[in-house]
Amino acid sequence: MEPITGAEILVRCLKEEGVEYLFGYPGGAVLHIYDALYVQDDIKHILVRHEQAALHAADGYSRACGKPGVALVTSGPGLTNAVTGIANAYMDSIPLVVFSGQVPTALIGNDAFQEVDAVGITRPCVKHNFLVRDIKNLAETIKKAFYIATTGRPGPVLIDLPKDVTIAKAEYHYPKKVKLRSYSPTVKGHAGQIRKAVDMILSAKRPMIYTGGGVILSDGSPELVELTQLLGYPITQTLMGLGAYPATDSQFVGMLGMHGTYEANMAMHECDVLIAIGARFDDRVTGKIDKFCPTAKIVHVDIDPSSISKNVQVDIPIVGSVPNVLRAMINVIRDEKLKPDAEALTRWWRQIDEWRALKSLSYRQSSEVIKPQFVIQKLYQVTGGQAIITSDVGQHQMWAAQYYHFDRPRQWINSGGLGTMGFGLPAAMGAKFAFPDQDVVCVTGDGSIQMMLQELATMKQYHTPVKIVNLNNGYLGMVRQWQEFFYQKRYCMTYFEALPDFVMLAEAYGHVGMRIEKPGDVEGALREAFALKDRTVFLDFLTDQTENVFPMIPSGGGQNEMLLAERDEMVSTHDEGMVLL
Amino acid sequence: MNNNNRHLISILMENEAGALSRVANLFSARGYNIESLTVAPTDDPTLSRLTLVTSGNEQIIEQIVKQLNKLIDVVKLIDLSETDAIERELMLVKTKASGEQRAEMMRLAEIFGGRVLDVTEATYTIELTGAGGKLDNFLRAVEKDAILEVVRSGATGIARGQKALHA
């Protein structure tokens, strides 16, 4: 076999992995790779305008379609710019394979031009990383990277490629399979534990199902729906888990956690058996840990053993992939014709319906000023609930999660763990590459959008028409909300004294810009925007500047200590809570 | 539950660049305590054996073990404190040894099973091995201002009986 260069090997490996899109940005250390990309058409390289966006776009692509996202950046600043995107994917367990250029091996450690210790910098925020020093290891390392990124609990894997390795030649051989003696995730749940869990689940008088992003990542939605409907139990989902169970079904009691619904959080607090599936008991979900689910026995299904009993001690841990474990549970229940306690369940639902009757997501509508919640409700109507929604981070993210009812997995794409402002726009672009025929909407705010605004140029270049719903209140709204509640309205550095004219800005990038100032114009503007199928439309909604996200569990509070919009005056939280953010 | 117990954890991992820093990183990033750490290749040159001493309550140790296992480079590990195991540490001590001190120091070294490796007119350099506690005891037994320098390798260990950790 004719030896080929490292750069050519890389491109061939990507083809074998079925990679369609490579999101990246060139530079000195990766010039050979770009040269190899130039002479082929199979892999489409998307030239972003900032490396962070390359990572977010690859991430959004992966979240939308389930395949690993792939990114390519140069050494030094290319890599450091990418770190936020890598960390973002790591926190939400998104499978990415990231290639970074590196200075030639002979110069590593010499403080060469555009040199940084890429594997050192990224070590805490990758599932694994590699520095390839020898061309002979390149193909196998790439195979390992895809394997590690996509199996077990997924995550980003970085491969650092010194320039000389991309130039050196070797015979091409791509292994069909790799086996790592140090890595073999448990997929199948332990039968004995599953049996014990089923008994506990069916003994419940006040059961609660709580699921997270793991259900979506493992494509476990069909099994989750089947089990939940078989049991007839109430189900709540985390911010990362929305869509795995249809939000419009009556068994869904809404999102839980800091800005979850009253009924979801109360049911969590009062339940006697909690069935946690692919969720990690994050602090935004649990509130104060010693007040969390005080009366519940807990079953926890997760593929990552280190997620189990990390924050909350559980009674029955099951390590395995969600669809696999849930299928086994369903089989036990069906085979043995087991039934939940119908009488207790009726009483429990009656209680939940009482909590529901409080309508914790209600807000005061206005005929003068646009309420941000209203925009999301109209967006839901106009898109028929079918659009893929990405979001940035802040108040608008919570409103999108609360008021857009996600009925299918991979429909809701947001930065849950790291909370990265700027994620939404490049993620929307990535999702649009995955599903060019679907409506993709980026719900954002005037703060977040300015962090990755330059990607409007990329979207023009590649014709990825998404709709941008900017809930523009002139404030960094979530921080402002906290300053209002907990810092006596001392609005330090949360008001933008100068905002750009977003309409002109969108037009400057070659897109359509619209400004909407009246509640009566919201629906019409949305309809007009979605009618422009092949255009990116920037909808700048001037919204109520001081609207707050409710309900809310103030930091340090328990799940039963929610503040509701209409009912509660905001009072300063206790000192202990302030520490918790 | 809240007792902070000392644990001796022995890890078999890929002998690759960066593997050690993955372990060290994990401890600093998650705020776990490392009391000592030793590492060297094994008879199989593709594998390293890393032994560390840490402390924490049951829950923390459980997390440490899970997080270590999660590292891709970690092949296997064993918490030697959970099993019948032999723990050893090497210590080199340079002491003052002149006049009457010379005989006294030699006697102490003998009692603790130590060997004198280097002798000058005024000093002894003594080698001692044993579990950490024994080495502590030796240092306590020696007059404090007689100690010039102490070098400890950190603890390492192996399970008793037929149990063996291999890839």
Side-chain angles (χ1 to χ4, degrees):
Chain A
M1 207 188 292
E2 191 76 354
I4 56 173
T5 67
E8 289 164 336
I9 289 175
L10 167 60
V11 172
R12 293 208 18 199
C13 291
L14 296 184
K15 278 183 206 172
E16 301 226 24
E17 288 294 331
V19 174
E20 290 173 279
Y21 294 105
L22 177 58
F23 299 91
Y25 204 101
V30 288
L31 275 169
H32 254 73
I33 301 172
Y34 275 85
D35 199 48
L37 287 167
Y38 188 75
V39 294
Q40 58 85 50
D41 295 316
D42 298 298
I43 294 156
K44 294 169 207 75
H45 180 279
I46 308 303
L47 176 64
V48 293
R49 299 301 188 266
H50 186 288
E51 288 87 350
Q52 186 183 335
L55 271 291
H56 290 332
D59 181 325
Y61 169 85
S62 176
R63 291 186 207 227
C65 70
K67 292 200 274 186
V70 187
L72 168 63
V73 298
T74 193
S75 65
L79 180 276
T80 55
N81 277 347
V83 169
T84 299
I86 296 171
N88 185 74
Y90 181 66
M91 288 293 275
D92 288 345
S93 307
I94 305 304
L96 299 184
V97 176
V98 184
F99 296 92
S100 55
Q102 182 55 280
V103 302
T105 41
L107 289 181
I108 289 178
N110 281 12
D111 301 326
F113 176 64
Q114 293 194 328
E115 179 187 0
V116 291
D117 175 9
V119 290
I121 282 181
T122 57
R123 199 172 285 132
C125 59
V126 292
K127 185 170 174 187
H128 197 59
N129 60 19
F130 298 95
L131 167 62
V132 181
R133 287 177 172 274
D134 186 341
I135 177 79
K136 290 203 276 304
N137 300 331
L138 179 58
E140 195 189 354
T141 303
I142 295 172
K143 184 77 199 174
K144 280 183 187 170
F146 276 93
Y147 172 62
I148 292 169
T150 55
T151 52
R153 180 178 179 175
V157 177
L158 175 112
I159 299 179
D160 199 30
L161 292 170
K163 189 169 186 180
D164 54 322
V165 173
T166 67
I167 299 170
K169 288 187 172 182
E171 281 189 11
Y172 175 73
H173 167 71
Y174 197 60
K176 283 257 174 324
K177 263 180 148 179
V178 279
K179 203 171 150 24
L180 294 164
R181 62 180 167 185
S182 59
Y183 174 75
S184 60
T186 307
V187 173
K188 197 168 170 291
H190 185 275
Q193 289 291 92
I194 289 170
R195 177 70 245 196
K196 270 165 58 189
V198 166
D199 288 341
M200 183 181 277
I201 290 167
L202 288 162
S203 73
K205 307 286 180 209
R206 301 183 309 280
M208 188 67 181
I209 301 171
Y210 143 59
T211 75
V215 179
I216 292 167
L217 291 166
S218 64
D219 293 322
S221 185
E223 287 79 6
L224 176 69
V225 172
E226 190 178 337
L227 179 68
T228 305
Q229 295 185 347
L230 183 64
L231 292 166
Y233 289 179
I235 177 170
T236 181
Q237 292 176 334
T238 67
L239 181 67
M240 288 303 298
L242 296 175
Y245 188 87
T248 49
D249 186 86
S250 63
Q251 277 173 253
F252 182 61
V253 297
M255 181 172 76
L256 81 166
M258 184 173 274
H259 294 296
T261 64
Y262 184 69
E263 53 271 32
N265 284 320
M266 286 304 288
M268 288 290 287
H269 189 262
E270 298 295 324
C271 72
D272 69 342
V273 173
L274 179 66
I275 306 141
I277 305 167
R280 61 186 177 90
F281 297 82
D282 171 79
D283 54 275
R284 298 285 129 147
V285 157
T286 60
K288 194 161 165 57
I289 221 101
D290 23 324
K291 296 180 184 170
F292 178 75
C293 295
T295 53
K297 293 268 183 216
I298 304 176
V299 174
H300 188 186
V301 181
D302 205 293
I303 199 154
D304 176 8
S306 73
S307 275
I308 295 175
S309 295
K310 181 174 71 181
N311 301 332
V312 171
Q313 287 293 308
V314 304
D315 299 280
I316 303 182
I318 303 171
V319 176
S321 91
V322 168
N324 197 294
V325 173
L326 298 194
R327 176 56 56 202
M329 285 181 173
I330 292 165
N331 288 345
V332 172
I333 296 169
R334 285 201 199 283
D335 291 351
E336 302 184 20
K337 300 192 168 51
L338 302 173
K339 295 264 182 280
D341 183 340
E343 205 180 308
L345 197 55
T346 308
R347 274 199 306 275
W348 180 226
W349 271 114
R350 206 174 296 140
Q351 170 66 71
I352 290 171
D353 287 338
E354 270 178 41
W355 290 323
R356 244 183 197 163
L358 242 78
K359 296 197 183 306
S360 62
L361 289 178
S362 53
Y363 62 93
R364 210 172 285 155
Q365 180 56 298
S366 159
S367 55
E368 302 298 311
V369 57
I370 299 174
K371 291 287 180 173
Q373 300 96 324
F374 176 67
V375 177
I376 306 294
Q377 285 177 325
K378 283 292 164 199
L379 175 66
Y380 178 72
Q381 278 175 20
V382 168
T383 56
Q386 292 300 308
I388 295 173
I389 308 289
T390 75
S391 94
D392 270 304
V393 170
Q395 286 183 316
H396 64 268
Q397 178 187 25
M398 292 300 113
W399 285 318
Q402 290 174 329
Y403 296 93
Y404 201 101
H405 309 294
F406 300 98
D407 272 350
R408 58 173 208 272
R410 304 191 179 279
Q411 194 188 353
W412 166 236
I413 294 171
N414 85 127
S415 167
L418 195 67
T420 312
M421 290 170 71
F423 173 75
L425 190 63
M429 181 169 68
K432 190 72 186 175
F433 278 113
F435 292 105
D437 299 330
Q438 288 191 29
D439 283 332
V440 177
V441 182
C442 168
V443 175
T444 185
D446 49 287
S448 288
I449 192 66
Q450 291 191 80
M451 286 206 180
M452 279 284 129
L453 196 55
Q454 76 287 342
E455 295 312 313
L456 287 173
T458 313
M459 290 158 72
K460 178 71 185 168
Q461 182 169 346
Y462 297 97
H463 308 291
T464 49
V466 310
K467 307 296 178 256
I468 299 157
V469 171
N470 189 35
L471 300 179
N472 182 348
N473 59 5
Y475 277 102
L476 298 174
M478 190 57 96
V479 184
R480 191 209 56 76
Q481 175 170 345
W482 284 63
Q483 288 173 336
E484 178 185 336
F485 294 168
F486 310 126
Y487 294 87
Q488 290 79 46
K489 303 192 181 181
R490 292 194 295 271
Y491 298 136
C492 181
M493 297 294 137
T494 44
Y495 178 65
F496 285 136
E497 295 196 10
L499 280 175
D501 181 329
F502 287 112
V503 173
M504 279 172 68
L505 197 52
E507 284 166 0
Y509 277 107
H511 303 305
V512 179
M514 294 165 78
R515 180 171 298 110
I516 305 95
E517 298 176 60
K518 294 261 169 338
D521 297 336
V522 170
E523 185 172 340
L526 285 166
R527 292 204 182 278
E528 196 184 328
F530 282 96
L532 297 168
K533 286 272 169 222
D534 57 347
R535 299 298 300 275
T536 288
V537 183
F538 194 114
L539 294 120
D540 188 28
F541 291 96
L542 303 187
T543 62
D544 188 341
Q545 292 202 289
T546 56
E547 189 69 16
N548 289 320
V549 180
F550 282 112
M552 179 176 185
I553 301 177
S555 278
Q559 297 155 306
N560 59 339
E561 297 171 317
M562 296 210 84
L563 300 164
L564 304 179
E566 299 290 325
R567 196 184 69 182
D568 295 296
E569 279 287 300
M570 255 303 170
V571 284
S572 193
T573 185
H574 17 99
D575 292 349
E576 200 184 352
M578 297 293 277
V579 188
L580 296 169
L581 282 180
Chain B
M1 189 75 186
N2 287 317
N3 294 339
N4 272 5
N5 286 325
R6 178 178 179 276
H7 284 254
L8 184 68
I9 297 174
S10 188
I11 306 166
L12 204 56
M13 60 185 196
E14 299 291 350
N15 186 10
E16 292 201 9
L20 172 62
S21 40
R22 286 181 212 280
V23 173
N25 235 332
L26 168 68
F27 275 72
S28 66
R30 295 192 181 264
Y32 305 137
N33 154 57
I34 295 187
E35 206 173 288
S36 75
L37 187 153
T38 72
V39 60
T42 64
D43 54 325
D44 174 349
T46 67
L47 290 169
S48 282
R49 182 79 172 235
L50 185 152
T51 313
L52 60 86
V53 176
T54 183
S55 58
N57 62 32
E58 211 179 303
Q59 213 179 319
I60 290 171
I61 298 298
E62 185 187 328
Q63 261 302 304
I64 290 175
V65 168
K66 285 174 171 176
Q67 293 290 349
L68 284 168
N69 267 317
K70 195 167 148 181
L71 293 176
I72 306 290
D73 283 338
V74 168
V75 180
K76 266 182 191 166
L77 67 82
I78 181 173
D79 184 349
L80 289 172
S81 317
E82 304 278 283
T83 158
D84 194 7
I86 299 163
E87 177 186 334
R88 285 293 177 273
E89 183 174 357
L90 171 70
M91 177 167 75
L92 302 173
V93 191
K94 191 167 291 184
T95 67
K96 288 184 191 162
S98 52
E100 285 172 20
Q101 264 177 331
R102 278 182 97 78
E104 171 64 16
M105 199 60 77
M106 185 67 87
R107 234 186 346 263
L108 260 181
E110 269 168 23
I111 292 170
F112 280 86
R115 289 198 301 152
V116 177
L117 300 182
D118 185 50
V119 179
T120 70
E121 275 170 26
T123 66
Y124 280 154
T125 300
I126 303 165
E127 171 197 320
L128 284 144
T129 58
K134 177 182 145 182
L135 306 185
D136 295 342
N137 287 339
F138 176 80
L139 293 176
R140 269 196 288 271
V142 177
E143 210 183 309
K144 207 163 172 71
D145 52 5
I147 298 173
L148 297 171
E149 188 178 355
V150 176
V151 179
R152 296 175 71 149
S153 65
T156 185
I158 193 164
R160 284 185 193 274
Q162 297 188 8
K163 203 182 226 173
L165 191 63
H166 48 72

